[in-house]
Amino acid sequence: MKRVKLLIAYDGTNYCGWQKQINGITVEEVINKTLSELLNENIEVIGASRTDSGVHALANVAVFDTETKIPAEKISFALNQRLPEDITIQGSEEVALDFHPRYCNSTKTYEYKILNRRFDMPINRLYTHFVYMPLDVDKMRQASQYIVGEHDFKSFCSARSQVSDTVRTVYSLEISKNNEDIITFRISGNGFLYNMVRIIVGTLIKVGLSVYPPEHVKEIIDAKDRNVAGPKAPSRGLTLIGIDYEE
Amino acid sequence: MKRVKLLIAYDGTNYCGWQKQINGITVEEVINKTLSELLNENIEVIGASRTDSGVHALANVAVFDTETKIPAEKISFALNQRLPEDITIQGSEEVALDFHPRYCNSTKTYEYKILNRRFDMPINRLYTHFVYMPLDVDKMRQASQYIVGEHDFKSFCSARSQVSDTVRTVYSLEISKNNEDIITFRISGNGFLYNMVRIIVGTLIKVGLSVYPPEHVKEIIDAKDRNVAGPKAPSRGLTLIGIDYEE
């Protein structure tokens, strides 16, 4: 038996997120079904990040155990021939049998993209959140410094979550704007609570619109109350960039 | 009566191109129907560029005449509320009654995007052409110098075209590669023949793959024969960036 690690990219637009559920088709389900057919075994992958409905990924991580004789590196190519075009495997390799994508320490990086201009742009609409009112990038940058570091992020966690420990460390949060009016929030951390990135961005949007002064973000963190933070930004703007595991 | 100019952006994925036809829904048809309902007049726009099925646009140009009292600048906002999300008006303004988007002199700019890496990326798939084999950007740049200038581009014009004068001027053709493995061909000219940009890119891909040496592109131009150029590259990689009219 061997354990195989997959790097999985997907366009989340047409999926009800990563994790198997009753309401609709999920990325995990498609991967399980395709792998099981390919290897002629009953495969259930363990995913690293349970991305929400509509969220995209460049390299989510999942592992599975298999008896197959196909070399681990070749599985990506074989899978891609059978997967729909909105899911592709970016690589596959054998890993130690005790490697677990959620329990091993890692750094996760997400990007959130906002299109900030007068009119929405059709070719960006599936991967950016359109905001008509001008956003002050400098103010959002000032506010972002309160987010970086180890904090109790309870104010930035959807009430539906059942996690008890809401302390997380954000290693970096960079905000840039390109010449196509796209503002990118790039955030790395040792883990993120349910909807945390989207609530951080929703809160920074309020700062960018001058609804809150930048310093108010510190008070929001200190309050440890979901009701005082901004709304969660829409899922289409969010992409899981990658997950780095410590050696 | 006044003549109104529209700047129109669209995601071409779900349309059979710009121009009205029997086989399927087109961008022109959707614009005509939406404008006619909004203004309560029978409107038929005249478009500048009849983009092909699957080709995208950031700012195609169209004009129409109307008796409406709505100021020209407001029409964009009113239209956007009624249009599907894969078509948006980027601006509207009144122009002279003799302004014609195809007969007035203009510079058209297109971009063609290729994703050149080992695996296709789902969130890019609708707007880039995926090429697995590594492309030599330097060789393609060398070849592109033969394209720039005034030439008879008969070799780069689909046989279906009924144009008799196949001389056009390409003002510039720039090729760049970003750190996300996307190669962008940006081409400007005073006009393009049917499928010309896609055949130029299809030919440059053959140079990038070292099937042709860069100098062979000069021979292809001189041959004035569609059969000696490369195949046309797929439509999804092509976007009309904009059209500048001479004053």
Side-chain angles (χ1 to χ4, degrees), chain A residues 11 88 90 117 120 125, chain B residues 11 88 90 117 119-120 125:
Chain A
D11 178 335
T88 63
Q90 301 290 310
R117 60 200 298 276
D120 200 356
R125 76 189 189 288
Chain B
D11 177 335
T88 62
Q90 301 289 312
R117 60 203 296 278
F119 298 106
D120 200 355
R125 77 191 188 286

Side-chain angles (χ1 to χ4, degrees), chain A residues 14-131:
Chain A
N14 296 318
Y15 294 97
C16 293
W18 169 266
Q19 199 174 16
K20 216 166 171 175
Q21 55 145 285
I22 327 163
N23 296 350
I25 195 161
T26 65
V27 178
E28 184 183 41
E29 247 178 282
V30 174
I31 302 275
N32 283 341
K33 185 165 172 288
T34 312
L35 264 177
S36 300
E37 284 168 8
L38 174 71
L39 303 177
N40 210 13
E41 291 176 70
N42 185 22
I43 305 280
E44 300 226 355
V45 300
I46 303 169
S49 180
R50 298 168 181 150
T51 56
D52 251 1
S53 181
V55 173
H56 318 289
L58 301 192
N60 202 345
V61 171
V63 299
F64 64 94
D65 295 331
T66 175
E67 303 288 347
T68 187
K69 283 176 184 130
I70 305 176
E73 300 71 38
K74 302 274 182 194
I75 290 175
S76 54
F77 293 95
L79 263 181
N80 283 336
Q81 287 180 341
R82 293 164 177 253
L83 284 168
E85 69 170 10
D86 53 5
I87 302 178
T88 63
I89 308 301
Q90 301 290 310
S92 52
E93 58 171 346
E94 191 170 343
V95 288
L97 285 170
D98 64 350
F99 173 80
H100 189 290
R102 280 201 303 280
Y103 304 144
C104 293
N105 287 337
S106 68
T107 300
K108 287 183 180 160
T109 301
Y110 284 89
E111 279 188 359
Y112 195 95
K113 288 184 191 290
I114 291 176
L115 184 67
N116 190 33
R117 60 200 298 276
R118 213 162 161 218
F119 298 106
D120 200 356
M121 184 52 84
I123 65 166
N124 295 124
R125 76 189 189 288
L126 301 174
Y127 314 105
T128 61
H129 167 44
F130 173 63
V131 175

Side-chain angles (χ1 to χ4, degrees), chain B residues 86-198:
Chain B
D86 54 5
I87 303 178
T88 62
I89 308 301
Q90 301 289 312
S92 53
E93 60 171 344
E94 192 169 342
V95 288
L97 285 170
D98 64 352
F99 173 81
H100 189 290
R102 279 202 302 281
Y103 303 146
C104 293
N105 287 336
S106 68
T107 300
K108 286 183 182 159
T109 301
Y110 284 89
E111 278 188 359
Y112 194 94
K113 289 184 192 288
I114 291 176
L115 184 68
N116 189 33
R117 60 203 296 278
R118 211 161 164 218
F119 298 106
D120 200 355
M121 185 51 85
I123 65 165
N124 296 124
R125 77 191 188 286
L126 301 174
Y127 314 105
T128 61
H129 167 43
F130 172 63
V131 175
Y132 169 82
M133 298 281 286
L135 293 168
D136 186 324
V137 173
D138 282 338
K139 282 189 181 168
M140 295 195 291
R141 277 199 195 113
Q142 285 169 45
S144 71
Q145 68 185 2
Y146 301 106
I147 303 286
V148 176
E150 185 183 88
H151 302 287
D152 185 336
F153 283 101
K154 197 166 179 218
S155 296
F156 299 89
C157 178
S158 275
R160 277 202 284 161
S161 167
Q162 281 147 23
V163 186
S164 54
D165 177 12
T166 47
V167 174
R168 295 290 184 278
T169 303
V170 170
Y171 300 130
S172 63
L173 171 48
E174 280 152 26
I175 307 173
S176 57
K177 185 168 184 176
N178 73 8
N179 54 14
E180 288 165 343
D181 304 315
I182 294 173
I183 299 172
T184 299
F185 301 74
R186 189 179 175 98
I187 187 166
S188 292
N190 66 351
F192 293 92
L193 303 166
Y194 186 53
N195 287 334
M196 179 169 149
V197 179
R198 289 166 59 191

